[in-house]
Amino acid sequence: APRARIPTSGDLRGVGRPAALPLYVDLFRSHLSSRQTIEIAERIISQADDDDSIRLQYTAHKAIALLEIGEQRNAANELQPLGGVRG
């Protein structure tokens, strides 16, 4: 069977396997736009189930990406449930 390839162009439709999403962020973060990082982080968080460490890590990725595009209030809102950060 042919192996699935992780896209490098930022086309996230090719990343169908949930396990590949964190790898995609880890390998290609510097090539992703902030919006792409937010999209991937949201997908990872939605699939994290009860894994608090994954939810924490990718909530932080999302918050940083929000800060990069000037959305400080939204970034603070993301972090608030994690430790009482105020917006």
Side-chain angles (χ1 to χ4, degrees):
R3 288 184 169 189
R5 294 182 59 196
I6 296 175
T8 58
S9 65
D11 181 3
L12 303 178
R13 291 171 294 185
V15 185
R17 297 177 52 174
L21 289 170
L23 179 62
Y24 190 82
V25 172
D26 293 342
L27 292 177
F28 301 111
R29 174 64 179 110
S30 63
H31 300 289
L32 297 172
S33 70
S34 296
R35 296 276 181 209
Q36 289 170 317
T37 300
I38 292 166
E39 180 184 339
I40 295 171
E42 287 173 344
R43 286 177 59 188
I44 294 169
I45 292 164
S46 74
Q47 298 167 357
D49 297 325
D50 293 330
D51 192 334
D52 291 336
S53 64
I54 294 292
R55 197 173 357 275
L56 173 63
Q57 179 179 352
Y58 289 94
T59 297
H61 275 292
K62 181 178 177 183
I64 291 167
L66 286 164
L67 288 171
E68 291 172 345
I69 59 174
E71 294 188 22
Q72 288 83 359
R73 182 170 301 264
N74 288 336
N77 289 340
E78 288 294 324
L79 295 173
Q80 189 172 20
L82 301 177
V85 177
R86 297 174 191 236

